[in-house]
Amino acid sequence: MSAQGDCEFLVKRARELVPQDPYAAKAWLITARTLYPADFNIQYEMYSIERNAERTASAGRLLYDIFVNFPEQPVVWREIAVITAALRNDSQDKHAQFLKGVFETLPGPVQCKMLLKATEQCFNTLEKAEMLLLLLKRFPESVVQHGVSLGESLLEAETVENLDTPVNCFRKLFGSQEVGGLKSPGRGRSQRYVIDGLSEKSSVVTEPWERLLEMVGVVGSLCDWQGEKANRSYSELLQRVSELCRYMSATDSEGFARCCAQIVTCCTLVLFHSAFHYVSAVQPSLFQGHTSLSSCPWVLLEDLSSVYTDVEVERKHTHKKRKLADGREKTMSSDDEDMLAKGRGRHIVVNKAEMPGWAETVEHFRTARESWDLLHSHQSLETEFVKICSAWKTEMWMWFRIFLTDMIIYQGQYRKALSSLALMSSLQLQQNQIQNSLSSSSSLETQRAIIQQASCHYALGEYRMACEKLLEVVSGLMPQNHEAVKSSEEQRKPRGKTRKGNDLRLIPCTSKSILPFCLQLMLACFKLRAFTDNRDDLALGHVIVLLQYDWPQGENLFLKAVDKICQQGSFQYENFFNYVTNIDMLEEFAYLRTTEGGRVQLELLPNQGMLIKHHTVTRGITKGVKEDFRLAMERQVSRCGENLLTVLHRFCINEKIILVQSLP
């Protein structure tokens, strides 16, 4: 029998004995290895028996032997691949833990050599990078030799693959803790990959903003940045570069050029940090861990708290039969408003009860705006920042586009804001197509963009476009119980003097909040047309219907409408009895028909002009019309208990065409 045949016989015999007598099998293999020390199959069989029995120490010794003596055997590398896969995996599986234990028994230099050779065996870029990362994690001293090549290979692989999504396997690995520690002065692109991953629900980067801040500290020390030190907060970082920018630009143009990279890098990071946290509060569904139904979007809109109070009323009717609710706000005079408006910036009003972290959210918005302004305060800074945005494709970051849009609205650049909102809608459509779904959250996000468009059109004086957008939103809303909404609204109303209509308001994208805003904005659109010198009964009628919401806040404006009707001597609005259910308004109109009220001619019934001709008798007394009016009023009083929001919602839906056509 040949030597090869002898080895095969001994291995076969040992295998047969393992189930019955493992010690006998072991004795056979020890004898075989003594006779044939250079035979791979004998030593591998010995290792296999120890591995299957999960004897860690002996399996580790035998693995060391076959790795040192037979490094070219494919079976060895398959075994090592299984072990390294267990090392890369966080699994608590018993067998995986055993394999990790086997690897730990090997001497350190052998572990390093084994990982290096295993890396060389990998042909897949991602797998090779994971192996290198494992090596760097266990042997930090090898960073100098292998760290930079790892980062470069990941960047190159992403470019070759031409992946669309910002969060892909290469970026996730590039943003990992170990790779993050490799960055040298010329390797600042790691910020991009961590930031890109923040808005993706699949992102696995842990504590990304703290990691980025650490990176800036490391890069700053390596690049000898001016006054840079570790353990700065984001606010301190912005304060430092602001001071640096102000000092350098005023005293040393050459020094400013040298500090340009520092200012742009730090300021860009602060911008993204603050913008991210602001948007994660106003549109939480975009981000990881914000998928609950209560995480509704918030929308930044014109503050319409002055919509009822900015018309000065010259007189108040004294004939009122029914006293209005007490405790309403006192109307400010124009002088008061002018004094209050002097020396103050634009405020963002938030219902503190509805947004518990409102102060932090508004502060993030302010910090992000300051960072943006600093980056655009000098041509050189702006040029470098634009290069970063272009390279990182920030125009495709939905969350950053939301911040930019809100910032532009805050700045009062409404035309530019409309363009930004159009781009945002396009991005949203692309995302919905990729996800092949239209969830309730995406529907709310769509509503958010449309309601902001309406607000911008209103600010530009484009009332018809504003009304069209508002009615588009209202058609998708469900009216809530009016009393519940009213009590919530009353809680947030200021008890002191109201401010000018130059402020903004953050409100949640819910029917409870959006429908009242739509009603107020429509009122604001029609109010100017209704109270011009030219007569427009249709616009005035719409205003009266809309003033019912939040009554008696609109009492003064209603009385001004009554004054205008008295001056005209007549008023025609055939939808009056369809939508006016406010008892105070009904009493006022009933009074206008009396002698004391001025015997105002009111045409409030459908086709009333025809009825007047039909019922007219001698001396022009319209007895039939009076009776019709009285009966209509009685029926209307019985409707005063109806849910007002339901009535007004029906008004918006049924009269959509008339409402739009009533505006220029």
Side-chain angles (χ1 to χ4, degrees):
M1 184 182 291
S2 65
Q4 183 66 30
D6 290 344
C7 292
E8 290 176 358
F9 169 75
L10 292 169
V11 169
K12 182 181 178 182
R13 180 62 180 152
R15 255 184 225 149
E16 292 172 350
L17 288 170
V18 168
Q20 307 163 13
D21 191 348
Y23 295 104
K26 195 172 181 180
W28 274 79
L29 289 173
I30 292 173
T31 302
R33 188 173 68 172
T34 304
L35 294 173
Y36 304 101
D39 188 87
F40 168 73
N41 291 328
I42 292 173
Q43 295 196 35
Y44 183 74
E45 189 65 29
M46 294 179 72
Y47 166 74
S48 298
I49 290 174
E50 298 304 304
R51 180 198 61 198
N52 294 339
E54 294 192 348
R55 289 189 278 268
T56 306
S58 54
R61 287 194 301 271
L62 291 167
L63 178 64
Y64 171 79
D65 289 341
I66 61 175
F67 173 72
V68 171
N69 297 323
F70 309 99
E72 304 303 324
Q73 287 288 341
V75 178
V76 174
W77 289 110
R78 283 199 294 271
E79 190 65 29
I80 291 173
V82 173
I83 293 173
T84 54
L87 291 172
R88 298 198 307 269
N89 196 343
D90 293 331
S91 172
Q92 299 300 313
D93 176 74
K94 183 181 178 183
H95 186 63
Q97 293 298 319
F98 163 71
L99 293 175
K100 292 177 184 178
V102 170
F103 184 81
E104 296 296 344
T105 63
L106 301 176
V110 175
Q111 290 182 356
C112 185
K113 187 177 180 181
M114 184 180 288
L115 291 175
L116 263 177
K117 285 190 172 292
T119 302
E120 293 170 2
Q121 298 286 326
C122 298
F123 296 100
N124 179 281
T125 303
L126 187 62
E127 187 180 354
K128 188 172 185 176
E130 289 176 344
M131 286 298 303
L132 262 179
L133 192 58
L134 181 61
L135 170 68
L136 301 179
K137 185 177 180 180
R138 287 180 166 268
F139 302 98
E141 65 274 10
S142 62
V143 166
V144 176
Q145 185 178 358
H146 304 287
V148 174
S149 63
L150 169 59
E152 289 178 341
S153 64
L154 287 171
L155 295 178
E156 183 181 354
E158 188 199 32
T159 304
V160 171
E161 293 290 337
N162 194 27
L163 298 170
D164 294 329
T165 173
V167 177
N168 54 62
C169 52
F170 302 110
R171 293 197 187 188
K172 286 180 182 178
L173 196 58
F174 196 90
S176 63
Q177 184 173 359
E178 290 71 29
V179 180
L182 309 179
K183 302 300 175 286
S184 61
R187 312 285 173 186
R189 284 187 286 174
S190 60
Q191 293 183 24
R192 169 191 177 188
Y193 304 110
V194 180
I195 292 172
D196 276 348
L198 293 170
S199 62
E200 296 284 341
K201 296 183 177 68
S202 60
S203 175
V204 293
V205 179
T206 57
E207 298 183 348
W209 293 112
E210 289 74 10
R211 299 266 310 288
L212 284 172
L213 207 54
E214 291 171 7
M215 288 181 194
V216 169
V218 172
V219 171
S221 61
L222 291 172
C223 297
D224 295 325
W225 280 355
Q226 286 280 342
E228 191 52 54
K229 64 180 182 180
N231 301 322
R232 284 191 193 274
S233 67
Y234 279 96
S235 58
E236 291 171 340
L237 196 62
L238 178 62
Q239 183 180 1
R240 170 59 192 157
V241 293
S242 298
E243 293 170 353
L244 184 64
C245 182
R246 187 165 52 250
Y247 174 75
M248 286 294 182
S249 61
T251 60
D252 184 3
S253 58
E254 187 177 335
F256 180 78
R258 287 197 305 271
C259 294
C260 184
Q262 176 183 357
I263 295 171
V264 172
T265 301
C266 296
C267 206
T268 300
L269 182 57
V270 175
L271 167 64
F272 289 150
H273 169 264
S274 299
F276 169 82
H277 282 89
Y278 168 72
V279 178
S280 66
V282 301
Q283 192 121 344
S285 61
L286 285 176
F287 301 98
Q288 183 179 4
H290 293 281
T291 55
S292 67
L293 293 175
S294 61
S295 300
C296 71
W298 288 68
V299 57
L300 188 66
L301 302 167
E302 295 296 301
D303 179 31
L304 300 175
S305 58
S306 63
V307 69
Y308 302 118
T309 58
D310 61 354
V311 175
E312 186 175 349
V313 181
E314 296 177 359
R315 69 179 182 84
K316 295 191 75 172
H317 288 233
T318 57
H319 66 273
K320 296 294 290 182
K321 299 176 184 176
R322 182 173 176 272
K323 195 172 182 180
L324 298 176
D326 293 328
R328 56 182 178 266
E329 296 174 15
K330 181 183 177 182
T331 306
M332 288 182 64
S333 70
S334 57
D335 291 337
D336 289 336
E337 290 182 330
D338 289 340
M339 291 179 62
L340 186 62
K342 289 179 181 178
R344 72 168 176 85
R346 204 168 194 192
H347 296 271
I348 297 178
V349 184
V350 188
N351 184 346
K352 300 176 184 180
E354 291 180 334
M355 180 182 272
W358 67 273
E360 188 177 3
T361 300
V362 173
E363 179 63 21
H364 280 307
F365 187 52
R366 184 193 63 79
T367 303
R369 294 196 318 271
E370 289 182 0
S371 304
W372 177 272
D373 291 341
L374 183 60
L375 286 166
H376 291 77
S377 61
H378 296 272
Q379 184 61 48
S380 56
L381 299 180
E382 184 174 355
T383 301
E384 291 302 313
F385 177 64
V386 169
K387 287 179 182 178
I388 292 175
C389 291
S390 177
W392 294 6
K393 299 180 180 178
T394 58
E395 72 275 5
M396 301 303 294
W397 297 358
M398 183 66 175
W399 64 272
F400 194 54
R401 174 53 52 188
I402 290 171
F403 159 72
L404 289 178
T405 303
D406 284 4
M407 181 185 70
I408 295 167
I409 290 173
Y410 180 88
Q411 293 169 344
Q413 301 180 52
Y414 296 107
R415 188 69 63 195
K416 189 176 177 182
L418 287 171
S419 299
S420 185
L421 284 164
L423 179 56
M424 195 164 73
S425 298
S426 176
L427 283 175
Q428 184 63 53
L429 183 62
Q430 290 178 27
Q431 289 186 5
N432 290 340
Q433 288 174 345
I434 291 171
Q435 297 168 1
N436 196 26
S437 65
L438 188 63
S439 62
S440 59
S441 63
S442 65
S443 176
L444 287 171
E445 289 155 11
T446 302
Q447 278 188 351
R448 184 184 188 278
I450 298 173
I451 197 72
Q452 277 192 318
Q453 288 174 343
S455 184
C456 290
H457 283 300
Y458 165 74
L460 289 168
E462 299 170 350
Y463 301 131
R464 175 176 283 203
M465 285 295 297
C467 191
E468 285 181 1
K469 295 294 182 182
L470 287 172
L471 294 173
E472 184 179 346
V473 173
V474 170
S475 64
L477 298 177
M478 291 295 293
Q480 305 292 307
N481 180 274
H482 181 230
E483 290 305 315
V485 175
K486 188 172 180 180
S487 62
S488 173
E489 293 289 311
E490 286 174 351
Q491 287 176 5
R492 78 179 184 207
K493 286 172 187 168
R495 292 301 175 190
K497 294 182 177 181
T498 58
R499 292 194 289 263
K500 270 201 173 196
N502 188 40
D503 296 340
L504 296 169
R505 183 178 289 276
L506 264 176
I507 65 173
C509 274
T510 59
S511 292
K512 179 180 177 182
S513 298
I514 292 296
L515 183 54
F517 175 83
C518 291
L519 296 173
Q520 289 181 341
L521 190 54
M522 275 194 285
L523 172 61
C525 290
F526 283 105
K527 181 177 64 177
L528 296 177
R529 188 168 179 82
F531 292 107
T532 58
D533 293 335
N534 298 326
R535 177 169 176 167
D536 191 336
D537 283 7
L538 192 58
L540 194 61
H542 296 333
V543 165
I544 291 169
V545 171
L546 293 167
L547 281 172
Q548 294 178 100
Y549 176 74
D550 217 8
W551 186 265
Q553 291 298 313
E555 181 201 1
N556 288 337
L557 202 55
F558 170 69
L559 294 178
K560 186 173 180 66
V562 172
D563 282 342
K564 185 175 176 65
I565 292 170
C566 290
Q567 291 168 12
Q568 295 176 176
S570 63
F571 176 65
Q572 179 181 5
Y573 188 67
E574 296 184 354
N575 272 322
F576 183 90
F577 288 113
N578 289 332
Y579 305 113
V580 177
T581 61
N582 181 286
I583 187 64
D584 298 314
M585 290 183 175
L586 295 176
E587 288 180 357
E588 188 72 36
F589 274 91
Y591 175 78
L592 291 178
R593 287 186 63 91
T594 65
T595 304
E596 297 83 357
R599 298 183 63 84
V600 177
Q601 183 180 342
L602 301 176
E603 297 183 23
L604 307 181
L605 293 165
N607 302 317
Q608 188 170 334
M610 298 292 292
L611 290 171
I612 290 174
K613 292 180 181 179
H614 178 70
H615 287 295
T616 299
V617 293
T618 56
R619 298 183 183 177
I621 302 172
T622 53
K623 295 181 179 179
V625 173
K626 286 183 178 180
E627 182 64 17
D628 291 342
F629 184 85
R630 185 186 66 78
L631 292 174
M633 274 292 181
E634 289 179 359
R635 286 195 301 269
Q636 207 65 6
V637 169
S638 68
R639 293 182 56 198
C640 290
E642 288 186 21
N643 182 352
L644 182 57
L645 282 179
T646 301
V647 173
L648 295 177
H649 182 264
R650 188 165 63 245
F651 168 69
C652 295
I653 301 300
N654 295 347
E655 310 304 327
K656 179 177 181 179
I657 296 175
I658 295 177
L659 286 168
V660 172
Q661 290 178 347
S662 302
L663 291 167

